[in-house]
Amino acid sequence: MGRRRYELTDFEWWIIEPLLPNKPRGVPRVDDRKVLNGIYWRLRTGSPWAEIPERYGPATTCYNRFVRWRKLGVWDRIFDAITAAYDGDIQMIDSSSIRVHQHGANAKKGARTPPPETLLTPDAWGARGAG
C-alpha cells in the first residue's frame, strides 16, 4: 500500500531523516519514518497513545521517542527545517483537532483569564508527565 493521506512525503522525509538522533549499536530500532508517522497520527487525532495503529510500530516506542526527542530539541529542528524547505508556506495548526476539555467548556462569563505563564508551551503537547 502506498503513502496514506497524512503521512510524510518523500520530500519531507529527505529533509527530516538527517536531523534524527542515530543509535548505531544495540537492538535495531523500529523504522524512524514509521514511528514519526505514528506520532503525527496520534497528535492529529487526539487519541490516546495506546490506540496508535500497529502499522506505525509499538505505541510505547512512539511515545518514548516523542518524549525523548522533545527533551533533545529534535522537534524544534524538524519544524524549523520543514518550514524553511517550504519557504514559510506551511501551516502547522489544524483547528479541527483542537478540543476544549469538558470542564473548560462551561466557563463563567467574565471569568479572569489565566496569567501568561500558565499558557500552553510546546512542552505540554500531549505528553503525560511532561515538565
Side-chain angles (χ1 to χ4, degrees), residues 54-98:
E54 290 181 17
R55 68 179 173 266
Y56 298 125
T60 53
T61 299
C62 294
Y63 173 77
N64 289 338
R65 278 200 209 164
F66 174 80
V67 172
R68 190 176 314 124
W69 290 353
R70 179 185 51 83
K71 291 177 183 176
L72 293 173
V74 173
W75 293 112
D76 293 331
R77 292 194 300 271
I78 288 174
F79 291 139
D80 291 343
I82 292 292
T83 302
Y86 280 101
D87 198 26
D89 291 339
I90 190 168
Q91 296 178 11
M92 298 199 188
I93 295 178
D94 179 3
S95 63
S96 66
S97 65
I98 298 173

XYZ file of all heavy atoms in Angstrom, residues 54-98:
370
model
N -1.156 -0.405 14.629
C 0.021 -1.279 14.632
C 0.966 -1.013 13.474
O 2.158 -1.278 13.581
C -0.415 -2.743 14.607
C -1.063 -3.197 15.892
C -1.474 -4.665 15.835
O -0.978 -5.394 14.952
O -2.280 -5.065 16.670
N 0.454 -0.485 12.365
C 1.309 -0.240 11.198
C 2.413 0.780 11.494
O 3.369 0.888 10.747
C 0.475 0.200 10.003
C -0.161 1.559 10.147
C -0.963 1.934 8.895
N -1.704 3.149 9.083
C -2.965 3.226 9.470
N -3.642 2.120 9.724
N -3.560 4.387 9.611
N 2.264 1.549 12.593
C 3.265 2.549 12.959
C 4.257 2.043 14.006
O 5.087 2.802 14.478
C 2.582 3.809 13.478
C 1.709 4.471 12.442
C 0.376 4.734 12.704
C 2.219 4.833 11.201
C -0.429 5.346 11.754
C 1.420 5.434 10.240
C 0.094 5.684 10.533
O -0.699 6.283 9.595
N 4.168 0.781 14.359
C 5.070 0.235 15.362
C 4.428 0.273 16.735
O 3.290 0.734 16.898
N 5.144 -0.206 17.750
C 4.589 -0.236 19.102
C 4.258 1.170 19.618
O 5.031 2.111 19.427
C 5.708 -0.863 19.945
C 6.598 -1.556 18.963
C 6.481 -0.792 17.687
N 3.123 1.308 20.278
C 2.704 2.606 20.822
C 3.714 3.129 21.837
O 3.977 4.335 21.885
C 1.324 2.484 21.457
N 4.310 2.233 22.623
C 5.291 2.682 23.614
C 6.531 3.263 22.932
O 7.116 4.223 23.430
C 5.712 1.532 24.548
O 6.136 0.425 23.762
C 4.569 1.118 25.449
N 6.902 2.705 21.790
C 8.046 3.236 21.041
C 7.734 4.648 20.555
O 8.562 5.551 20.673
C 8.388 2.326 19.843
O 8.723 1.032 20.337
C 9.544 2.879 19.036
N 6.538 4.837 20.007
C 6.136 6.170 19.530
C 6.147 7.171 20.680
O 6.700 8.273 20.552
C 4.749 6.117 18.891
S 4.669 5.154 17.367
N 5.564 6.799 21.801
C 5.514 7.705 22.962
C 6.920 8.018 23.476
O 7.264 9.180 23.702
C 4.666 7.107 24.083
C 4.730 7.929 25.346
C 4.014 9.108 25.462
C 5.546 7.548 26.402
C 4.089 9.879 26.602
C 5.625 8.310 27.549
C 4.895 9.477 27.647
O 4.978 10.252 28.779
N 7.731 6.980 23.655
C 9.079 7.193 24.206
C 9.928 8.069 23.299
O 10.656 8.947 23.770
C 9.773 5.853 24.455
C 9.162 5.104 25.623
O 8.528 5.695 26.485
N 9.324 3.799 25.628
N 9.836 7.878 21.992
C 10.608 8.725 21.069
C 10.090 10.151 21.077
O 10.868 11.097 21.011
C 10.584 8.169 19.654
C 11.604 7.082 19.522
C 11.983 6.810 18.117
N 12.351 5.404 18.073
C 12.470 4.686 17.010
N 12.263 5.237 15.833
N 12.795 3.428 17.080
N 8.778 10.312 21.147
C 8.210 11.655 21.211
C 8.782 12.414 22.407
O 9.269 13.536 22.279
C 6.687 11.586 21.309
C 6.037 12.915 21.518
C 5.844 13.776 20.445
C 5.623 13.309 22.769
C 5.247 15.018 20.638
C 5.032 14.538 22.972
C 4.844 15.399 21.895
N 8.757 11.792 23.572
C 9.243 12.435 24.802
C 10.753 12.653 24.741
O 11.252 13.736 25.058
C 8.860 11.593 26.035
C 9.504 12.133 27.289
C 7.340 11.557 26.189
N 11.491 11.639 24.322
C 12.952 11.746 24.267
C 13.393 12.836 23.290
O 14.258 13.642 23.581
C 13.543 10.396 23.845
C 15.043 10.310 23.990
C 15.592 8.930 23.649
N 14.822 7.857 24.255
C 14.260 6.856 23.563
N 14.379 6.794 22.252
N 13.594 5.914 24.177
N 12.756 12.876 22.127
C 13.115 13.872 21.122
C 12.690 15.278 21.545
O 13.319 16.249 21.179
C 12.520 13.512 19.774
C 13.170 12.309 19.144
C 14.278 11.632 19.591
C 12.765 11.647 17.960
N 14.572 10.580 18.760
C 13.662 10.566 17.739
C 11.725 11.840 17.063
C 13.544 9.705 16.657
C 11.610 10.983 15.983
C 12.525 9.927 15.790
N 11.625 15.371 22.336
C 11.230 16.686 22.869
C 12.326 17.216 23.787
O 12.725 18.370 23.698
C 9.910 16.583 23.627
C 9.463 17.926 24.213
C 8.222 17.789 25.069
N 8.298 16.749 26.072
C 8.871 16.895 27.262
N 9.433 18.033 27.600
N 8.882 15.911 28.129
N 12.839 16.364 24.641
C 13.887 16.771 25.574
C 15.183 17.141 24.854
O 15.918 17.996 25.320
C 14.150 15.659 26.594
C 13.010 15.468 27.560
C 13.267 14.314 28.505
C 12.090 14.090 29.423
N 12.268 12.924 30.299
N 15.457 16.491 23.724
C 16.685 16.759 22.963
C 16.552 17.925 21.986
O 17.523 18.305 21.346
C 17.095 15.504 22.183
C 17.536 14.299 23.004
C 17.743 13.077 22.108
C 18.806 14.619 23.774
N 15.335 18.463 21.826
C 15.124 19.580 20.907
C 14.991 19.161 19.453
O 15.080 19.995 18.553
N 14.776 17.871 19.210
C 14.663 17.368 17.840
C 13.443 17.960 17.146
O 13.506 18.314 15.972
C 14.601 15.818 17.833
C 14.318 15.274 16.455
C 15.899 15.247 18.385
N 12.328 18.100 17.856
C 11.097 18.630 17.240
C 11.297 20.057 16.744
O 10.817 20.404 15.657
C 9.923 18.546 18.216
C 9.553 17.132 18.510
C 9.704 16.472 19.686
C 9.003 16.186 17.595
N 9.287 15.170 19.551
C 8.850 14.975 18.282
C 8.630 16.247 16.259
C 8.334 13.830 17.668
C 8.113 15.112 15.652
C 7.968 13.918 16.360
N 11.996 20.874 17.501
C 12.253 22.251 17.048
C 13.052 22.244 15.753
O 12.752 23.001 14.823
C 13.018 23.035 18.123
C 12.182 23.267 19.372
O 10.942 23.339 19.247
O 12.769 23.376 20.460
N 14.063 21.374 15.681
C 14.876 21.291 14.456
C 14.046 20.805 13.272
O 14.176 21.307 12.154
C 16.078 20.382 14.684
C 17.098 20.959 15.657
C 18.420 20.209 15.600
N 18.323 18.803 15.920
C 18.434 18.287 17.145
N 18.621 19.086 18.182
N 18.355 16.983 17.341
N 13.172 19.821 13.522
C 12.331 19.296 12.443
C 11.396 20.387 11.922
O 11.305 20.609 10.715
C 11.516 18.070 12.929
C 12.435 16.870 13.118
C 10.382 17.751 11.960
C 11.760 15.658 13.741
N 10.709 21.079 12.822
C 9.761 22.112 12.383
C 10.469 23.259 11.676
O 9.968 23.789 10.687
C 8.934 22.616 13.562
C 7.959 21.595 14.087
C 7.767 21.450 15.446
C 7.243 20.778 13.225
C 6.875 20.506 15.941
C 6.345 19.835 13.703
C 6.158 19.696 15.070
N 11.634 23.647 12.168
C 12.402 24.712 11.508
C 12.833 24.291 10.102
O 12.744 25.070 9.152
C 13.634 25.099 12.337
C 13.274 25.815 13.630
O 12.118 26.294 13.742
O 14.144 25.894 14.518
N 13.295 23.048 9.965
C 13.764 22.570 8.660
C 12.616 22.450 7.663
O 12.756 22.841 6.495
C 14.467 21.220 8.820
N 11.488 21.921 8.099
C 10.340 21.783 7.193
C 9.812 23.157 6.785
O 9.500 23.399 5.625
C 9.221 20.940 7.846
C 9.663 19.494 8.003
C 7.922 21.030 7.064
C 9.831 18.741 6.693
N 9.732 24.079 7.737
C 9.276 25.433 7.426
C 10.206 26.098 6.424
O 9.763 26.727 5.464
C 9.181 26.279 8.708
O 8.281 25.635 9.611
C 8.665 27.668 8.418
N 11.513 25.949 6.626
C 12.484 26.536 5.694
C 12.379 25.884 4.309
O 12.469 26.560 3.287
C 13.900 26.383 6.243
N 12.163 24.571 4.275
C 12.075 23.864 2.998
C 10.857 24.307 2.189
O 10.904 24.363 0.962
C 12.016 22.360 3.229
N 9.790 24.620 2.872
C 8.586 25.087 2.190
C 8.559 26.613 2.096
O 7.538 27.195 1.776
C 7.333 24.583 2.905
C 7.001 23.153 2.567
C 7.323 22.117 3.451
C 6.384 22.824 1.378
C 7.021 20.809 3.147
C 6.081 21.515 1.065
C 6.399 20.506 1.959
O 6.100 19.211 1.649
N 9.682 27.249 2.419
C 9.825 28.699 2.320
C 8.753 29.431 3.118
O 8.224 30.447 2.679
C 9.801 29.127 0.851
C 10.383 30.523 0.651
O 11.208 30.934 1.487
O 9.993 31.184 -0.326
N 8.396 28.890 4.285
C 7.416 29.529 5.148
C 5.982 29.364 4.692
O 5.071 29.899 5.308
N 5.745 28.614 3.615
C 4.392 28.434 3.092
C 3.706 27.203 3.667
O 2.992 26.487 2.973
C 4.421 28.306 1.567
C 4.795 29.599 0.894
O 4.640 30.653 1.519
O 5.244 29.546 -0.262
N 3.903 26.954 4.943
C 3.287 25.788 5.568
C 2.634 26.220 6.869
O 3.148 27.089 7.574
C 4.338 24.682 5.809
C 3.674 23.384 6.224
C 5.358 25.094 6.829
C 4.610 22.189 6.190
N 1.473 25.660 7.157
C 0.786 25.944 8.405
C 0.722 24.655 9.194
O 0.419 23.606 8.633
C -0.619 26.474 8.131
C -0.598 27.791 7.396
C -2.002 28.281 7.102
O -2.970 27.749 7.604
N -2.088 29.306 6.287
N 0.962 24.728 10.497
C 1.044 23.515 11.286
C -0.067 23.376 12.305
O 0.023 22.555 13.186
C 2.395 23.461 11.983
C 3.520 23.420 11.016
S 4.989 22.825 11.767
C 6.144 23.118 10.478
N -1.102 24.174 12.202
C -2.200 24.064 13.151
C -3.466 23.747 12.374
O -3.777 24.385 11.386
C -2.383 25.371 13.947
C -1.161 25.614 14.810
C -3.644 25.304 14.793
C -1.206 26.885 15.593
N -4.188 22.758 12.838
C -5.448 22.378 12.231
C -6.516 22.504 13.309
O -6.552 21.724 14.243
C -5.359 20.944 11.716
C -6.655 20.474 11.094
O -7.614 21.269 11.013
O -6.710 19.313 10.688
N -7.366 23.495 13.192
C -8.337 23.769 14.242
C -9.339 22.642 14.424
O -9.993 22.559 15.452
C -9.076 25.080 13.965
O -9.817 24.970 12.765
N -9.456 21.756 13.458
C -10.400 20.655 13.613
C -9.938 19.664 14.676
O -10.716 18.853 15.151
C -10.612 19.941 12.289
O -9.429 19.298 11.886
N -8.665 19.698 15.061
C -8.178 18.756 16.060
C -7.965 19.405 17.428
O -7.456 18.772 18.325
C -6.866 18.117 15.591
O -5.865 19.102 15.515
N -8.376 20.651 17.577
C -8.237 21.334 18.865
C -9.551 21.211 19.614
O -10.597 21.595 19.106
C -7.851 22.814 18.670
C -6.507 22.896 17.977
C -7.826 23.546 20.000
C -6.101 24.296 17.592
